[in-house]
Amino acid sequence: MDAIDLSLVDLLRSNARLSYAELARQVGLSAPAVHERVGKLESSGVVRGYRADVAPEAIGLGVTALIGIVEDSGADSDDMLESLRVLPEIESCYFMAGVESFLLKARVGTIAELEQLIVRLNRTPGVASTRTAIALSTKWENRPQPVGPPAA
Amino acid sequence: MDAIDLSLVDLLRSNARLSYAELARQVGLSAPAVHERVGKLESSGVVRGYRADVAPEAIGLGVTALIGIVEDSGADSDDMLESLRVLPEIESCYFMAGVESFLLKARVGTIAELEQLIVRLNRTPGVASTRTAIALSTKWENRPQPVGPPAA
DNA sequence: ACTCTCCGTGGACGCCATCGACCTGAGCCT
DNA sequence: AGGCTCAGGTCGATGGCGTCCACGGAGAGT
């Protein structure tokens, strides 16, 4: 992970569809060199994948909610995790410090679907209680912050 | 937005670097047709961009926190938004229903940097109080949920 | 029925991805 | 010091891809 790798990561975070040739021009290497570096970044787990950033409302996911989960005393967090993982509406899942063990970001199409999700969560073994906060609007999300010395 | 567009969006959400030729094979159209469809999805705002998914710890962002902000009564939310927008550590910003007007997801390298961020937030005009919860680990994040009828 | 429009296909051409061979410099062993 | 080795780069070649263009068919409106 030298400065060139950081530049590559930065470039790919802002536009994952840049060609290797274009990346090469930006960092001042040849295309095969960039190809190899990016390959190593991928196989070492630094770059986990490439995602299109899609407007959620455009694909019928207009409701965003953040849900905190308090665990039963004695509940097994790993079991709970597996229960949460199978719910596709849960886009993100953080294990938190504090009373609420988990914080979920969920996206659904309608408030009715959100209600169903919350009911399902409360029925999940190990869940003592949930607390849901609805996002009225997403100002921005997953904004890549510049990394390392930006002026390469 | 027909079924083919949804398939394209789905494919690009799971791998944004797929070639047009490959996309074309998957959806049963020619490459130019796919190229045009994707171009329209981009210019209509459905596809907002393409991002590499990078392991945050690998680029020195090992600390994740979620911060709720309570506004002063009479504060201007738009002004506050602009104040928040210039803080690069804030990766996501939601305008919420509830006592806390904003919910931020921030990522920093160290707890000390988190402390500085919180201090800065509390000094920001319009901020009455903040509440910070630290994520001990990120189980998953921004998992794309399948959209539409998956069996195309 | 005619035509307009939308949306697709097929062909062409230049650029890109990717492989292999070779080069260079750093570090290390003798 | 000299030379081995290896990591990591450049260069050149080739096959596939991106992208532009002209053309064609289905469906709607008059």
mmCIF file of all heavy atoms in Angstrom, chain D residues 13-25:
data_model
loop_
_atom_site.group_PDB
_atom_site.id
_atom_site.type_symbol
_atom_site.label_atom_id
_atom_site.label_comp_id
_atom_site.label_asym_id
_atom_site.label_seq_id
_atom_site.Cartn_x
_atom_site.Cartn_y
_atom_site.Cartn_z
ATOM 1 P P DA D 13 5.211 -5.605 -32.007
ATOM 2 O OP1 DA D 13 6.044 -6.193 -33.083
ATOM 3 O OP2 DA D 13 4.548 -4.296 -32.215
ATOM 4 O "O5'" DA D 13 4.115 -6.682 -31.619
ATOM 5 C "C5'" DA D 13 4.531 -7.969 -31.166
ATOM 6 C "C4'" DA D 13 3.309 -8.818 -30.836
ATOM 7 O "O4'" DA D 13 2.712 -8.327 -29.605
ATOM 8 C "C3'" DA D 13 2.197 -8.779 -31.885
ATOM 9 O "O3'" DA D 13 1.618 -10.071 -31.980
ATOM 10 C "C2'" DA D 13 1.225 -7.757 -31.324
ATOM 11 C "C1'" DA D 13 1.341 -8.034 -29.819
ATOM 12 N N9 DA D 13 0.995 -6.913 -28.947
ATOM 13 C C8 DA D 13 1.284 -5.592 -29.136
ATOM 14 N N7 DA D 13 0.851 -4.811 -28.163
ATOM 15 C C5 DA D 13 0.233 -5.684 -27.281
ATOM 16 C C6 DA D 13 -0.418 -5.489 -26.054
ATOM 17 N N6 DA D 13 -0.582 -4.288 -25.478
ATOM 18 N N1 DA D 13 -0.911 -6.585 -25.431
ATOM 19 C C2 DA D 13 -0.764 -7.775 -26.003
ATOM 20 N N3 DA D 13 -0.166 -8.090 -27.159
ATOM 21 C C4 DA D 13 0.316 -6.986 -27.748
ATOM 22 P P DT D 14 0.735 -10.538 -33.247
ATOM 23 O OP1 DT D 14 1.387 -11.757 -33.768
ATOM 24 O OP2 DT D 14 0.534 -9.351 -34.106
ATOM 25 O "O5'" DT D 14 -0.651 -10.942 -32.611
ATOM 26 C "C5'" DT D 14 -0.692 -11.702 -31.392
ATOM 27 C "C4'" DT D 14 -2.092 -11.637 -30.817
ATOM 28 O "O4'" DT D 14 -2.191 -10.499 -29.920
ATOM 29 C "C3'" DT D 14 -3.187 -11.425 -31.864
ATOM 30 O "O3'" DT D 14 -4.366 -12.091 -31.446
ATOM 31 C "C2'" DT D 14 -3.405 -9.932 -31.813
ATOM 32 C "C1'" DT D 14 -3.329 -9.758 -30.293
ATOM 33 N N1 DT D 14 -3.156 -8.363 -29.848
ATOM 34 C C2 DT D 14 -3.582 -8.023 -28.581
ATOM 35 O O2 DT D 14 -4.087 -8.816 -27.820
ATOM 36 N N3 DT D 14 -3.397 -6.709 -28.247
ATOM 37 C C4 DT D 14 -2.851 -5.720 -29.039
ATOM 38 O O4 DT D 14 -2.729 -4.575 -28.630
ATOM 39 C C5 DT D 14 -2.429 -6.140 -30.344
ATOM 40 C C7 DT D 14 -1.827 -5.136 -31.299
ATOM 41 C C6 DT D 14 -2.607 -7.417 -30.684
ATOM 42 P P DG D 15 -5.045 -13.279 -32.233
ATOM 43 O OP1 DG D 15 -4.233 -14.458 -31.964
ATOM 44 O OP2 DG D 15 -5.357 -12.857 -33.609
ATOM 45 O "O5'" DG D 15 -6.406 -13.421 -31.409
ATOM 46 C "C5'" DG D 15 -6.330 -13.680 -30.011
ATOM 47 C "C4'" DG D 15 -7.357 -12.840 -29.282
ATOM 48 O "O4'" DG D 15 -6.939 -11.455 -29.202
ATOM 49 C "C3'" DG D 15 -8.745 -12.814 -29.948
ATOM 50 O "O3'" DG D 15 -9.699 -13.073 -28.946
ATOM 51 C "C2'" DG D 15 -8.858 -11.399 -30.514
ATOM 52 C "C1'" DG D 15 -8.019 -10.618 -29.517
ATOM 53 N N9 DG D 15 -7.460 -9.366 -30.020
ATOM 54 C C8 DG D 15 -6.872 -9.148 -31.237
ATOM 55 N N7 DG D 15 -6.450 -7.924 -31.388
ATOM 56 C C5 DG D 15 -6.782 -7.304 -30.200
ATOM 57 C C6 DG D 15 -6.574 -5.966 -29.771
ATOM 58 O O6 DG D 15 -6.042 -5.045 -30.385
ATOM 59 N N1 DG D 15 -7.071 -5.760 -28.485
ATOM 60 C C2 DG D 15 -7.684 -6.707 -27.714
ATOM 61 N N2 DG D 15 -8.100 -6.329 -26.506
ATOM 62 N N3 DG D 15 -7.882 -7.954 -28.103
ATOM 63 C C4 DG D 15 -7.406 -8.179 -29.348
ATOM 64 P P DG D 16 -11.211 -13.312 -29.306
ATOM 65 O OP1 DG D 16 -11.575 -14.650 -28.824
ATOM 66 O OP2 DG D 16 -11.468 -12.920 -30.711
ATOM 67 O "O5'" DG D 16 -11.925 -12.253 -28.360
ATOM 68 C "C5'" DG D 16 -11.460 -12.100 -27.013
ATOM 69 C "C4'" DG D 16 -11.905 -10.742 -26.527
ATOM 70 O "O4'" DG D 16 -11.159 -9.702 -27.206
ATOM 71 C "C3'" DG D 16 -13.380 -10.454 -26.791
ATOM 72 O "O3'" DG D 16 -13.955 -10.074 -25.551
ATOM 73 C "C2'" DG D 16 -13.380 -9.337 -27.838
ATOM 74 C "C1'" DG D 16 -12.027 -8.672 -27.617
ATOM 75 N N9 DG D 16 -11.421 -8.068 -28.798
ATOM 76 C C8 DG D 16 -11.167 -8.683 -29.992
ATOM 77 N N7 DG D 16 -10.591 -7.894 -30.870
ATOM 78 C C5 DG D 16 -10.455 -6.690 -30.199
ATOM 79 C C6 DG D 16 -9.890 -5.456 -30.642
ATOM 80 O O6 DG D 16 -9.400 -5.199 -31.737
ATOM 81 N N1 DG D 16 -9.946 -4.488 -29.646
ATOM 82 C C2 DG D 16 -10.478 -4.671 -28.395
ATOM 83 N N2 DG D 16 -10.455 -3.629 -27.575
ATOM 84 N N3 DG D 16 -10.997 -5.816 -27.972
ATOM 85 C C4 DG D 16 -10.957 -6.777 -28.920
ATOM 86 P P DC D 17 -15.437 -9.617 -25.416
ATOM 87 O OP1 DC D 17 -15.860 -10.099 -24.089
ATOM 88 O OP2 DC D 17 -16.173 -9.937 -26.641
ATOM 89 O "O5'" DC D 17 -15.291 -8.038 -25.315
ATOM 90 C "C5'" DC D 17 -14.318 -7.492 -24.424
ATOM 91 C "C4'" DC D 17 -14.390 -5.989 -24.465
ATOM 92 O "O4'" DC D 17 -13.742 -5.517 -25.672
ATOM 93 C "C3'" DC D 17 -15.804 -5.427 -24.475
ATOM 94 O "O3'" DC D 17 -15.861 -4.373 -23.534
ATOM 95 C "C2'" DC D 17 -16.000 -4.966 -25.914
ATOM 96 C "C1'" DC D 17 -14.585 -4.639 -26.373
ATOM 97 N N1 DC D 17 -14.301 -4.863 -27.811
ATOM 98 C C2 DC D 17 -13.703 -3.851 -28.574
ATOM 99 O O2 DC D 17 -13.431 -2.784 -28.048
ATOM 100 N N3 DC D 17 -13.445 -4.096 -29.886
ATOM 101 C C4 DC D 17 -13.747 -5.265 -30.431
ATOM 102 N N4 DC D 17 -13.473 -5.454 -31.724
ATOM 103 C C5 DC D 17 -14.360 -6.308 -29.672
ATOM 104 C C6 DC D 17 -14.623 -6.071 -28.378
ATOM 105 P P DG D 18 -17.218 -3.581 -23.324
ATOM 106 O OP1 DG D 18 -17.317 -3.283 -21.880
ATOM 107 O OP2 DG D 18 -18.301 -4.296 -24.019
ATOM 108 O "O5'" DG D 18 -16.944 -2.201 -24.085
ATOM 109 C "C5'" DG D 18 -15.871 -1.391 -23.624
ATOM 110 C "C4'" DG D 18 -15.792 -0.109 -24.436
ATOM 111 O "O4'" DG D 18 -15.542 -0.416 -25.824
ATOM 112 C "C3'" DG D 18 -17.038 0.771 -24.419
ATOM 113 O "O3'" DG D 18 -16.586 2.127 -24.465
ATOM 114 C "C2'" DG D 18 -17.766 0.360 -25.700
ATOM 115 C "C1'" DG D 18 -16.606 0.068 -26.635
ATOM 116 N N9 DG D 18 -16.832 -0.975 -27.645
ATOM 117 C C8 DG D 18 -17.453 -2.176 -27.471
ATOM 118 N N7 DG D 18 -17.453 -2.930 -28.546
ATOM 119 C C5 DG D 18 -16.782 -2.166 -29.487
ATOM 120 C C6 DG D 18 -16.465 -2.440 -30.842
ATOM 121 O O6 DG D 18 -16.717 -3.462 -31.490
ATOM 122 N N1 DG D 18 -15.779 -1.395 -31.439
ATOM 123 C C2 DG D 18 -15.428 -0.231 -30.816
ATOM 124 N N2 DG D 18 -14.768 0.668 -31.551
ATOM 125 N N3 DG D 18 -15.716 0.049 -29.551
ATOM 126 C C4 DG D 18 -16.390 -0.965 -28.950
ATOM 127 P P DT D 19 -17.645 3.331 -24.268
ATOM 128 O OP1 DT D 19 -16.904 4.462 -23.681
ATOM 129 O OP2 DT D 19 -18.848 2.812 -23.608
ATOM 130 O "O5'" DT D 19 -18.014 3.730 -25.753
ATOM 131 C "C5'" DT D 19 -16.962 4.095 -26.633
ATOM 132 C "C4'" DT D 19 -17.504 4.277 -28.036
ATOM 133 O "O4'" DT D 19 -17.597 2.997 -28.714
ATOM 134 C "C3'" DT D 19 -18.916 4.871 -28.122
ATOM 135 O "O3'" DT D 19 -18.871 5.885 -29.101
ATOM 136 C "C2'" DT D 19 -19.763 3.694 -28.575
ATOM 137 C "C1'" DT D 19 -18.778 2.984 -29.468
ATOM 138 N N1 DT D 19 -19.105 1.589 -29.804
ATOM 139 C C2 DT D 19 -18.711 1.117 -31.037
ATOM 140 O O2 DT D 19 -18.116 1.791 -31.851
ATOM 141 N N3 DT D 19 -19.050 -0.198 -31.276
ATOM 142 C C4 DT D 19 -19.726 -1.055 -30.453
ATOM 143 O O4 DT D 19 -19.971 -2.213 -30.787
ATOM 144 C C5 DT D 19 -20.113 -0.496 -29.179
ATOM 145 C C7 DT D 19 -20.868 -1.340 -28.203
ATOM 146 C C6 DT D 19 -19.786 0.785 -28.922
ATOM 147 P P DC D 20 -19.942 7.107 -29.093
ATOM 148 O OP1 DC D 20 -19.277 8.278 -28.496
ATOM 149 O OP2 DC D 20 -21.234 6.625 -28.556
ATOM 150 O "O5'" DC D 20 -20.085 7.359 -30.661
ATOM 151 C "C5'" DC D 20 -18.894 7.427 -31.448
ATOM 152 C "C4'" DC D 20 -19.200 6.985 -32.872
ATOM 153 O "O4'" DC D 20 -19.315 5.544 -32.904
ATOM 154 C "C3'" DC D 20 -20.512 7.547 -33.431
ATOM 155 O "O3'" DC D 20 -20.275 8.206 -34.662
ATOM 156 C "C2'" DC D 20 -21.401 6.323 -33.609
ATOM 157 C "C1'" DC D 20 -20.396 5.185 -33.731
ATOM 158 N N1 DC D 20 -20.934 3.886 -33.251
ATOM 159 C C2 DC D 20 -20.839 2.750 -34.058
ATOM 160 O O2 DC D 20 -20.305 2.844 -35.179
ATOM 161 N N3 DC D 20 -21.338 1.575 -33.608
ATOM 162 C C4 DC D 20 -21.898 1.515 -32.396
ATOM 163 N N4 DC D 20 -22.370 0.332 -31.987
ATOM 164 C C5 DC D 20 -22.003 2.654 -31.550
ATOM 165 C C6 DC D 20 -21.508 3.822 -32.009
ATOM 166 P P DC D 21 -21.429 9.101 -35.300
ATOM 167 O OP1 DC D 21 -20.723 10.231 -35.929
ATOM 168 O OP2 DC D 21 -22.491 9.334 -34.300
ATOM 169 O "O5'" DC D 21 -22.046 8.168 -36.442
ATOM 170 C "C5'" DC D 21 -21.156 7.499 -37.348
ATOM 171 C "C4'" DC D 21 -21.925 6.459 -38.129
ATOM 172 O "O4'" DC D 21 -22.129 5.307 -37.280
ATOM 173 C "C3'" DC D 21 -23.316 6.909 -38.580
ATOM 174 O "O3'" DC D 21 -23.308 7.060 -39.986
ATOM 175 C "C2'" DC D 21 -24.259 5.799 -38.126
ATOM 176 C "C1'" DC D 21 -23.331 4.686 -37.673
ATOM 177 N N1 DC D 21 -23.825 3.922 -36.494
ATOM 178 C C2 DC D 21 -24.018 2.552 -36.588
ATOM 179 O O2 DC D 21 -23.774 1.978 -37.660
ATOM 180 N N3 DC D 21 -24.482 1.860 -35.511
ATOM 181 C C4 DC D 21 -24.730 2.517 -34.370
ATOM 182 N N4 DC D 21 -25.169 1.813 -33.331
ATOM 183 C C5 DC D 21 -24.531 3.923 -34.256
ATOM 184 C C6 DC D 21 -24.087 4.590 -35.326
ATOM 185 P P DA D 22 -24.604 7.678 -40.726
ATOM 186 O OP1 DA D 22 -24.056 8.536 -41.805
ATOM 187 O OP2 DA D 22 -25.562 8.221 -39.755
ATOM 188 O "O5'" DA D 22 -25.242 6.379 -41.394
ATOM 189 C "C5'" DA D 22 -24.377 5.409 -41.977
ATOM 190 C "C4'" DA D 22 -25.167 4.163 -42.309
ATOM 191 O "O4'" DA D 22 -25.393 3.401 -41.093
ATOM 192 C "C3'" DA D 22 -26.553 4.422 -42.915
ATOM 193 O "O3'" DA D 22 -26.797 3.461 -43.939
ATOM 194 C "C2'" DA D 22 -27.494 4.239 -41.729
ATOM 195 C "C1'" DA D 22 -26.783 3.159 -40.934
ATOM 196 N N9 DA D 22 -27.065 3.180 -39.503
ATOM 197 C C8 DA D 22 -27.122 4.288 -38.693
ATOM 198 N N7 DA D 22 -27.393 4.005 -37.442
ATOM 199 C C5 DA D 22 -27.519 2.627 -37.430
ATOM 200 C C6 DA D 22 -27.812 1.716 -36.410
ATOM 201 N N6 DA D 22 -28.027 2.079 -35.131
ATOM 202 N N1 DA D 22 -27.870 0.400 -36.714
ATOM 203 C C2 DA D 22 -27.653 0.045 -37.991
ATOM 204 N N3 DA D 22 -27.376 0.807 -39.054
ATOM 205 C C4 DA D 22 -27.319 2.103 -38.692
ATOM 206 P P DC D 23 -28.133 3.488 -44.819
ATOM 207 O OP1 DC D 23 -27.740 3.083 -46.186
ATOM 208 O OP2 DC D 23 -28.838 4.768 -44.579
ATOM 209 O "O5'" DC D 23 -28.989 2.308 -44.192
ATOM 210 C "C5'" DC D 23 -28.409 1.006 -44.135
ATOM 211 C "C4'" DC D 23 -29.262 0.117 -43.257
ATOM 212 O "O4'" DC D 23 -29.206 0.592 -41.884
ATOM 213 C "C3'" DC D 23 -30.757 0.061 -43.634
ATOM 214 O "O3'" DC D 23 -31.105 -1.272 -43.910
ATOM 215 C "C2'" DC D 23 -31.465 0.615 -42.395
ATOM 216 C "C1'" DC D 23 -30.458 0.321 -41.298
ATOM 217 N N1 DC D 23 -30.583 1.174 -40.075
ATOM 218 C C2 DC D 23 -30.834 0.560 -38.841
ATOM 219 O O2 DC D 23 -30.939 -0.670 -38.787
ATOM 220 N N3 DC D 23 -30.955 1.337 -37.729
ATOM 221 C C4 DC D 23 -30.837 2.653 -37.833
ATOM 222 N N4 DC D 23 -30.943 3.375 -36.710
ATOM 223 C C5 DC D 23 -30.580 3.299 -39.069
ATOM 224 C C6 DC D 23 -30.471 2.526 -40.167
ATOM 225 P P DG D 24 -32.612 -1.623 -44.430
ATOM 226 O OP1 DG D 24 -32.487 -2.742 -45.392
ATOM 227 O OP2 DG D 24 -33.305 -0.362 -44.805
ATOM 228 O "O5'" DG D 24 -33.294 -2.175 -43.110
ATOM 229 C "C5'" DG D 24 -32.893 -3.428 -42.580
ATOM 230 C "C4'" DG D 24 -33.865 -3.826 -41.474
ATOM 231 O "O4'" DG D 24 -33.714 -2.901 -40.363
ATOM 232 C "C3'" DG D 24 -35.338 -3.743 -41.884
ATOM 233 O "O3'" DG D 24 -36.047 -4.777 -41.232
ATOM 234 C "C2'" DG D 24 -35.757 -2.371 -41.372
ATOM 235 C "C1'" DG D 24 -34.948 -2.302 -40.075
ATOM 236 N N9 DG D 24 -34.676 -0.952 -39.600
ATOM 237 C C8 DG D 24 -34.254 0.127 -40.345
ATOM 238 N N7 DG D 24 -34.078 1.209 -39.627
ATOM 239 C C5 DG D 24 -34.410 0.823 -38.336
ATOM 240 C C6 DG D 24 -34.413 1.567 -37.138
ATOM 241 O O6 DG D 24 -34.120 2.746 -36.978
ATOM 242 N N1 DG D 24 -34.812 0.785 -36.050
ATOM 243 C C2 DG D 24 -35.160 -0.544 -36.127
ATOM 244 N N2 DG D 24 -35.512 -1.120 -34.992
ATOM 245 N N3 DG D 24 -35.160 -1.246 -37.240
ATOM 246 C C4 DG D 24 -34.774 -0.504 -38.305
ATOM 247 P P DG D 25 -37.330 -5.433 -41.904
ATOM 248 O OP1 DG D 25 -36.873 -6.701 -42.520
ATOM 249 O OP2 DG D 25 -38.037 -4.407 -42.707
ATOM 250 O "O5'" DG D 25 -38.228 -5.778 -40.645
ATOM 251 C "C5'" DG D 25 -37.632 -6.337 -39.486
ATOM 252 C "C4'" DG D 25 -38.418 -5.923 -38.259
ATOM 253 O "O4'" DG D 25 -38.057 -4.570 -37.883
ATOM 254 C "C3'" DG D 25 -39.938 -5.917 -38.455
ATOM 255 O "O3'" DG D 25 -40.533 -6.409 -37.271
ATOM 256 C "C2'" DG D 25 -40.262 -4.447 -38.668
ATOM 257 C "C1'" DG D 25 -39.227 -3.796 -37.766
ATOM 258 N N9 DG D 25 -38.860 -2.429 -38.115
ATOM 259 C C8 DG D 25 -38.567 -1.951 -39.365
ATOM 260 N N7 DG D 25 -38.245 -0.680 -39.362
ATOM 261 C C5 DG D 25 -38.340 -0.306 -38.033
ATOM 262 C C6 DG D 25 -38.108 0.955 -37.422
ATOM 263 O O6 DG D 25 -37.769 2.011 -37.948
ATOM 264 N N1 DG D 25 -38.309 0.903 -36.034
ATOM 265 C C2 DG D 25 -38.686 -0.220 -35.353
ATOM 266 N N2 DG D 25 -38.832 -0.087 -34.047
ATOM 267 N N3 DG D 25 -38.911 -1.403 -35.914
ATOM 268 C C4 DG D 25 -38.712 -1.375 -37.246
#
